[in-house]
Amino acid sequence: MNDDSFTDPATVAASMIGISDAETGDVAPHVKPATTYKYGQGYVYYRDNGPGMGDVEEVLRRLEGGKAAMVFASGMAAATSLLVSLGSGAHIVAPETMYWFLRNWMVKDAPAFGLSVTLYPNGNLDAIKAAIAPGKTKAVWVETPANPDWSITDIKAAADIAHDAGAKLFIDSTTAPPVITRPLELGADVVMHSATKFLNGHSDVLAGALITNEANDLWERVHHARAGFGGTLGAFESWLLLRGVRTLDVRMQRHSENAMRVADAMLANPAVSHVLYPGLPDHPGHDIAKKQMKGFGGMMSIRLTGGTDAAARAVLRTKLFRNATSLGGTESLIEHRGPVEGPDSPTPQDLLRLSVGLENADDLIADLEQALGQ
Ligand code: PLP
């Protein structure tokens, strides 16, 4: 049996068998900080490629069941390197609701690279089909669950639509890491992660990752873009990310359990008008989520009957849920998302985004209840 025989993501993450232990028997990965290498032994210069990030790339490749992985200095570096590598003239189909900073980049900045984008209403497969410009559309972008309404898109169906049109399917799977969803198995061509979030899981590393099902010309161009823009992930960050990934499976189970408890409590709270969580049976994407997710993850949003003012007040009153941006750490966070995303955002102004952490669920519920009370 070789190291690759163990394919279950929980085993790959927890064991990291074959990573760093071949020569010394060490059971934990090493920091490999060298930036330059003696010629003739495979590596040349770290900005292009180096063993400092090779270990984490191998673990992420195995976790997603891909052919190759690349890590980047941030999720944005990963996503933009991938998109610009489609080449000038490429058309992209992307969701209306997705990580707002990347959406803004696609709409406002990507044209400077010769890229154009058409937005589709989330989860709507007919709208994806209609948005595709035959011959011109090179990629369909899907974020599922999508930030911050946690709408769900059927990955398998989206892959078929993209492939029928000769386009690639790219999935931002940041909130559904590979112990929850494995998009490449469902037909996606490239998976992207803000590894800053659940993959690392401790709010102490900024990182991005791409995993591909084919080491093709596009992948070569992405590698070139990473080196060209200098968006390579540093060796210390790579090591910290590996350390975070080891507990991925148990963390995600607890995130999912806690989020389900919080969602149920919020449903019963009169201050809450909507609970947006794919684990709830009345969530519009619940049936598809059940098919393509193992657990529903730690992200949800609530909308308040008291509107914007109530939302602005509540984030100042939570004690355990820290009022901060980002997501995916052990600690719970709450954010009034609309004002952060600005006037172009489709996010309702009464929406609070919750990153449900690993604390005791009763404590989390009590904190929200006191913050939402009169
Ligand atoms: N994709 C999603 C879903 C995100 O939430 C984020 C960041 O919040 C990104 C991409 C961008 O990642 P990063 O902040 O690591 O650049």
Side-chain angles (χ1 to χ4, degrees):
M1 213 180 238
N2 62 29
D3 305 331
D4 239 6
S5 328
F6 300 101
T7 54
D8 183 83
T11 303
V12 170
S15 152
M16 297 203 169
I17 190 154
I19 299 299
S20 287
D21 60 0
E23 287 162 23
T24 56
D26 290 11
V27 301
H30 302 169
V31 186
K32 297 173 184 167
T35 53
T36 189
Y37 312 91
K38 198 170 162 213
Y39 279 116
Q41 290 179 214
Y43 295 107
V44 176
Y45 185 55
Y46 190 88
R47 176 160 41 72
D48 181 51
N49 210 0
M53 60 192 150
D55 287 347
V56 74
E57 288 177 336
E58 174 57 9
V59 167
L60 295 179
R61 182 193 73 72
R62 281 159 60 182
L63 282 174
E64 291 286 7
K67 283 279 183 305
M70 253 185 267
V71 286
F72 293 80
S74 66
M76 280 302 293
T80 56
S81 298
L82 176 61
L83 293 172
V84 299
S85 299
L86 292 169
S88 181
H91 174 247
I92 303 157
V93 172
E96 279 170 4
T97 297
M98 58 180 277
Y99 173 55
W100 70 288
F101 197 80
L102 181 56
R103 176 184 187 267
N104 276 356
W105 184 88
M106 285 190 196
V107 172
K108 294 180 180 160
D109 300 328
F113 294 91
L115 303 173
S116 58
V117 64
T118 301
L119 302 178
Y120 64 86
N122 287 53
N124 185 331
L125 299 170
D126 290 335
I128 295 179
K129 252 186 230 164
I132 286 177
K136 196 163 176 253
T137 302
K138 300 291 180 222
V140 173
W141 189 272
V142 165
E143 183 180 318
T144 184
N147 207 335
D149 68 1
W150 316 111
S151 51
I152 299 291
T153 300
D154 186 329
I155 296 173
K156 209 163 186 302
D160 289 343
I161 293 169
H163 296 159
D164 284 350
K168 303 284 186 198
L169 182 71
F170 299 157
I171 305 280
D172 182 339
S173 202
T174 295
T175 58
V179 290
I180 289 194
T181 302
R182 301 228 293 177
L184 299 181
E185 279 174 357
L186 299 168
D189 296 283
V190 180
V191 183
M192 175 252 154
H193 286 277
S194 168
T196 313
K197 317 298 181 192
F198 290 101
L199 279 179
N200 178 60
H202 294 76
S203 305
D204 54 11
V205 171
L206 197 70
L210 297 176
I211 303 96
T212 184
N213 69 356
E214 205 188 344
N216 50 17
D217 289 352
L218 173 66
W219 192 248
E220 280 304 308
R221 291 197 297 277
V222 177
H223 188 212
H224 191 70
R226 181 177 73 170
F229 291 124
T232 312
L233 186 65
F236 285 97
E237 286 77 5
S238 296
W239 176 81
L240 258 181
L241 176 55
L242 271 175
R243 189 188 164 99
V245 164
R246 297 192 84 159
T247 52
L248 182 65
D249 190 48
V250 282
R251 282 189 287 105
M252 292 318 299
Q253 282 180 35
R254 175 70 171 238
H255 280 298
S256 296
E257 282 163 23
N258 276 1
M260 199 68 225
R261 289 275 319 278
V262 170
D264 282 337
M266 291 299 98
L267 274 182
N269 192 307
V272 176
S273 62
H274 300 73
V275 182
L276 311 175
Y277 184 60
L280 294 174
D282 68 348
H283 185 282
H286 180 67
D287 289 340
I288 297 161
K290 260 201 319 205
K291 274 197 308 189
Q292 66 187 29
M293 300 177 79
K294 189 174 145 211
F296 301 99
M299 295 307 301
M300 78 172 65
S301 296
I302 54 176
R303 295 181 60 187
L304 302 189
T305 46
T308 313
D309 291 348
R313 239 186 350 259
V315 291
L316 300 177
R317 290 168 64 164
T318 55
K319 297 186 175 107
L320 197 48
F321 275 87
R322 246 80 61 92
N323 182 19
T325 199
S326 199
L327 53 102
T330 61
E331 67 293 325
S332 293
L333 303 177
I334 187 167
E335 190 178 29
H336 188 192
R337 213 43 213 169
V340 172
E341 296 186 1
D344 299 338
S345 159
T347 297
Q349 294 295 318
D350 59 5
L351 180 146
L352 296 177
R353 187 179 78 178
L354 307 179
S355 176
V356 180
L358 308 184
E359 302 92 337
N360 179 299
D362 292 332
D363 288 342
L364 292 174
I365 293 166
D367 187 40
L368 288 173
E369 283 177 345
Q370 66 77 25
L372 297 172
Q374 298 309 304

